[in-house]
Amino acid sequence: MFDIVRQKAWTVLRLPSGTYKVVQIVPNTTISIGKYGSFQANSILGRPYHLTYEISEPQEKTQSPSLRVVPASELHTELLTGETCVAGGPPDNTHDDGVDYEVDDATGEAVLRSNRETVDDPSRQKLSLEEIEALKRDGTGSGKELISRLVNSHSGITEKTNFSLAKYTLRKARKYMRRFTVLPMDVPMLARWLFEGREPAKIMELREEMLSLMGSWANVHWTEGCDTMTSNGCEVTHGCGRWLVVDDTGGLVVAALAERAGILYASSAEDDPQDVTPSEPQAQAERPPITQGMEDEPAESSQAQQRPTKQQQRHVPAMSAVSNTITVLHANAQPNLSLLKYFHFDASNPSPGHPLFTHLKTLSWLQLLSPEEDAAYTEPEEVPDDVVRRWKSGKRAVYFRKRRRWERVKGVVDEARAGAFDGLVVASPMSPVSVMRHAVPLLRGGAPVVVYSPNIEPLAELADLYSTARRTAFLSDAPDPSSLPSEDFPLNPTLVLAPTIQTARTQNWQCLPGRTHPLMTSRGGAEGYLFTAIRVLPAEGKVEARGKFKKRKVAKHEKTVGEGGEQASVAADVSRQEDTTGDDGRGKDVGDGSAEAPSVPAQS
C-alpha cells in the first residue's frame, strides 16, 4: 500500500525541526512548508516514501525550486565516519568509551572534559542578525553554507566538547536546513500528528501505543468462514469478526480497528501514481489530430471503436457485509468520522470502491434502544409497481431512494439488536456504566471488552461493579431481574469476568556514555488507562454438584439405652456403603428392603 506517492494521497512531511506537516498531493500545485521553502507536487509523485529531499533555490527567480534526493550516506555522515563535519571545532580528545577528556597542565593527567568554563553569551557570535537574514535571503543552497558560517564565526566554539558541539550544530541544522522527509499516512502517524501537533483533547489524548493495545485486547483481525445462528428472530453471523464500537475520537479508533482488520485502505487500480493530470494546454497538445478526407463508413466505424464503453457494475448496497464489520454506535444524527478522510473515506458521501462502504455500519443509540421512535426505521408507504411506472423520473427516484434507505437502516438495526458481536471497544467521554449496561448483553460468550478513559476514576468504578465481592453478593441473594439496575447493582456482575485495569506508555531515552537518561522534553498530558474483561454467559438456575464418591471406613460405636444398667448395642457399620446414584439423581438404599434401622451418627 505504501510503496510510492500517489496523486491525491494524504502524505506526511517531516521537517528538520521534528514537526510534521500533513498535505494532500494534488498534481500541478505548489506545496509550501513555511520558512523551509516550497516545491512542486509533481516532483515527488510516483517516487518511493521515506526519502529525504533537499530544496535548492534557483539562480533566477522565474524558475521553480528544485529537489535533490539526499542519500543515506550523506544523512548519516557523522554516524558512519565518526568525524566532526564542522571545520574549526575542538580537538578530538575522545576516549575509546566515548568520553571526552583533556590533559591537566599541572599534573599531566587526563581529566574529564566539561563545559564548566564555557560562557553562553549571544555576543560571542560575530554575525549580526541583519547579516544572518541577508545570508538566508541571498543563499541558494540548502542551508549548509549558512550553518558553516555560523559555526566558524562563533568565538567560543573551541571551548565546547564534542557532544556540546554536536548539539549546537544539530540545533542550527533544525533551524536552517531546507530538507524534508516524505512519510506515508497510517494510523500511528495520524495519532502522533494529532497528539503532538494538533489538539489532543479531540482524540481524548489517545497515543499510538494505547491504540495498539486496544486492538490487541479486542482481538481484531481478518476472519474467514463463519456460522449463521438465529437470535431474537433474526439470522446473524457468529464468529465472523463483528465488532461493536463506541467512538467519540473523530474516527481514530475506527481507523485503528479497520487497519488491523484489513479494511481501511482501498486497493483501486484507478489511482495510477504515474497518471499526473496535465494542464489544459499540455492536454490539448497531447490529443491525437483529427483525420480529414476519409470516407463516411470507415470514419463511423473508427469512432465506434474509439468510443469508450462504460461497463455496467453490479450495485452493491452500503453496509451490506456480513463478516469483518465494524458497527459504530453514536449519539448524534450522524456519526463523527471526520478523520477517515485521510484514508479516502467520506462518511457523508462514501465511495462504493472503498472497503468501509460495506464493512462499516452506523446506528444511533435511539435506533438501538427505541427503534420505533426513529423516523428512519419506519417503513415508508409502499406503492404498487403500475403506479410507480406512471410517475415522473424525479419522483420515482425519490421513492426508491427512501425505500433503499429504510431497508439499509432496518437491516443494520435488526442485526445490531440481535447481538452476537465478537468484541466491544469503547472510547467515549460518556459514563462507561451506562454504555456497558446496554452494550454488554449484545456480545457473544467469550467476547473481549475494552474501555478506554484518559483518567482512572471511571474505570475503577466500573471494575468495582464487576468485582468478585459484588458478584458473590449478587449470587447469594439474586434480585429480581426486573429490579435491575438498582442502587447496589447498577450492572449485572455475572455477565463479565476478569476485570483488569492497565496502562502503557513509551518514553524516549538518551543513550550516551555517562549521560543516559529519559528525555525531559516529552509531552505530558493524561496517562490513559484501559479496562479489559471477558463476556460470559451465566448458567440458568442453580448449579448442583454430582459425581461418584469414594468409599469411607468408619469405626463401630455403641450407644447406651434403657435403665438399670441394661445396655443395648446398636452398630452402625458404614464401611461398606457405596454410591448407588440412579438415573433420577437420588441415592438407593442398600439391603434387603426390610425395616429401616435407626439413624445413628457416626464417629471417626
Side-chain angles (χ1 to χ4, degrees):
M1 180 61 190
F2 304 122
D3 47 358
I4 52 180
V5 180
R6 302 176 182 270
Q7 59 178 349
K8 297 183 180 180
W10 289 94
T11 309
V12 181
L13 304 180
R14 185 174 61 196
L15 304 180
S17 59
T19 59
Y20 298 96
K21 183 179 180 63
V22 177
V23 296
Q24 189 176 19
I25 308 300
V26 180
N28 302 322
T29 58
T30 301
I31 299 176
S32 176
I33 52 176
K35 65 179 182 181
Y36 300 104
S38 60
F39 61 95
Q40 294 294 323
N42 294 353
S43 303
I44 62 175
L45 269 176
R47 297 200 176 197
Y49 283 100
H50 304 283
L51 290 181
T52 300
Y53 298 89
E54 193 174 80
I55 302 177
S56 299
E57 290 293 338
Q59 297 290 342
E60 300 180 1
K61 296 183 178 181
T62 58
Q63 299 178 356
S64 59
S66 60
L67 296 182
R68 182 181 72 90
V69 178
V70 183
S73 58
E74 183 178 347
L75 287 174
H76 308 287
T77 300
E78 297 181 8
L79 179 63
L80 297 177
T81 60
E83 298 178 357
T84 304
C85 62
V86 180
D92 189 8
N93 295 328
T94 306
H95 197 261
D96 295 338
D97 56 358
V99 180
D100 292 348
Y101 68 95
E102 59 183 358
V103 179
D104 190 1
D105 298 335
T107 60
E109 297 180 356
V111 296
L112 184 65
R113 191 181 182 191
S114 64
N115 293 329
R116 183 176 302 175
E117 305 297 334
T118 303
V119 178
D120 290 333
D121 191 354
S123 61
R124 308 191 75 175
Q125 176 59 253
K126 299 178 181 178
L127 292 177
S128 62
L129 182 60
E130 291 76 10
E131 295 175 344
I132 295 176
E133 292 296 331
L135 290 174
K136 290 171 57 178
R137 183 174 55 256
D138 300 336
T140 58
S142 60
K144 294 181 181 179
E145 297 84 356
L146 177 58
I147 296 175
S148 179
R149 290 282 301 274
L150 289 173
V151 173
N152 293 332
S153 60
H154 196 285
S155 59
I157 199 69
T158 56
E159 301 176 3
K160 295 180 178 293
T161 63
N162 290 336
F163 180 66
S164 178
L165 177 62
K167 289 201 303 182
Y168 178 81
T169 308
L170 180 61
R171 187 166 61 251
K172 298 304 178 182
R174 288 180 175 179
K175 187 175 182 179
Y176 298 111
M177 286 295 291
R178 307 181 64 182
R179 290 177 177 177
F180 66 92
T181 305
V182 181
L183 302 175
M185 172 61 80
D186 52 5
V187 175
M189 179 58 67
L190 178 61
R192 189 183 314 165
W193 174 62
L194 293 173
F195 186 80
E196 296 179 358
R198 308 289 289 181
E199 298 183 11
K202 291 184 178 181
I203 60 172
M204 300 179 63
E205 304 190 47
L206 259 174
R207 299 182 302 274
E208 50 183 319
E209 56 267 23
M210 294 301 294
L211 279 174
S212 303
L213 198 62
M214 292 173 65
S216 299
W217 277 104
N219 193 24
V220 180
H221 60 282
W222 176 265
T223 306
E224 294 184 0
C226 55
D227 301 328
T228 303
M229 59 180 297
T230 303
S231 178
N232 298 332
C234 178
E235 287 191 359
V236 294
T237 55
H238 177 71
C240 296
R242 300 171 56 243
W243 284 273
L244 185 62
V245 181
V246 182
D247 182 12
D248 286 338
T249 62
L252 182 62
V253 175
V254 173
L257 302 183
E259 186 180 40
R260 293 181 63 93
I263 57 176
L264 180 60
Y265 306 105
S267 58
S268 176
E270 298 177 357
D271 297 334
D272 188 2
Q274 304 294 343
D275 186 15
V276 180
T277 305
S279 58
E280 186 63 23
Q282 183 180 358
Q284 293 288 345
E286 293 178 355
R287 290 176 182 173
I290 300 176
T291 305
Q292 298 180 357
M294 299 181 64
E295 300 294 336
D296 295 339
E297 293 183 0
E300 293 179 359
S301 61
S302 63
Q303 291 179 4
Q305 293 177 0
Q306 295 179 2
R307 185 181 298 114
T309 59
K310 183 178 181 180
Q311 299 180 357
Q312 295 182 357
Q313 298 181 356
R314 184 174 60 90
H315 174 69
V316 179
M319 307 182 187
S320 59
V322 296
S323 62
N324 302 292
T325 61
I326 297 176
T327 304
V328 180
L329 271 173
H330 57 89
N332 303 318
Q334 296 292 334
N336 181 14
L337 302 174
S338 59
L339 295 181
L340 294 181
K341 72 176 183 179
Y342 296 106
F343 306 100
H344 306 282
F345 181 78
D346 186 4
S348 59
N349 186 21
S351 174
H354 202 282
L356 292 179
F357 180 76
T358 56
H359 291 271
L360 179 61
K361 305 180 180 182
T362 60
L363 75 158
S364 63
W365 284 101
L366 178 63
Q367 294 173 344
L368 178 67
L369 303 180
S370 301
E372 297 80 8
E373 300 180 7
D374 186 69
Y377 189 79
T378 304
E379 181 180 4
E381 182 182 358
E382 188 174 2
V383 182
D385 295 340
D386 55 349
V387 178
V388 175
R389 294 191 189 99
R390 294 194 297 266
W391 287 351
K392 294 183 179 181
S393 59
K395 186 177 181 180
R396 190 165 54 247
V398 172
Y399 170 75
F400 286 117
R401 189 183 305 115
K402 290 182 179 180
R403 295 289 302 182
R404 287 195 299 267
R405 179 189 178 189
W406 168 76
E407 291 176 357
R408 181 179 69 251
V409 172
K410 180 176 174 56
V412 173
V413 172
D414 292 346
E415 180 184 352
R417 288 173 62 88
F421 286 96
D422 295 324
L424 171 64
V425 180
V426 180
S428 173
M430 299 173 57
S431 173
V433 177
S434 60
V435 174
M436 298 284 281
R437 182 180 300 123
H438 303 287
V440 169
L442 301 177
L443 305 179
R444 64 171 178 85
V449 178
V450 179
V451 182
Y452 169 80
S453 176
N455 306 314
I456 195 175
E457 288 79 11
L459 302 185
E461 178 186 1
L462 189 62
D464 176 68
L465 297 179
Y466 287 118
S467 61
T468 304
R470 197 174 292 266
R471 188 185 312 112
T472 303
F474 184 87
L475 294 176
S476 61
D477 188 11
D480 187 9
S482 60
S483 63
L484 295 178
S486 60
E487 183 179 357
D488 295 333
F489 302 103
L491 298 174
N492 189 348
T494 62
L495 300 181
V496 165
L497 285 182
T500 307
I501 299 178
Q502 55 185 303
T503 184
R505 185 166 187 171
T506 60
Q507 191 172 18
N508 296 327
W509 283 63
Q510 172 185 288
C511 298
L512 291 172
R515 296 181 294 271
T516 299
H517 59 80
L519 296 180
M520 309 307 294
T521 58
S522 300
R523 190 187 183 282
E527 186 72 16
Y529 299 89
L530 281 186
F531 170 88
T532 59
I534 300 296
R535 167 76 159 101
V536 293
L537 302 178
E540 298 180 358
K542 295 184 178 181
V543 179
E544 298 180 359
R546 298 180 180 180
K548 294 183 179 181
F549 302 96
K550 296 181 179 180
K551 298 179 181 179
R552 295 185 305 167
K553 292 185 178 180
V554 183
K556 296 182 180 180
H557 60 88
E558 297 180 349
K559 181 178 180 181
T560 304
V561 296
E563 296 179 356
E566 201 177 301
Q567 296 181 355
S569 177
V570 181
D573 189 359
V574 292
S575 62
R576 300 181 59 86
Q577 289 183 354
E578 295 180 353
D579 183 13
T580 57
T581 304
D583 296 337
D584 57 347
R586 298 180 180 179
K588 295 183 179 179
D589 295 336
V590 181
D592 55 356
S594 58
E596 297 181 359
S599 177
V600 179
Q603 297 181 359
S604 57

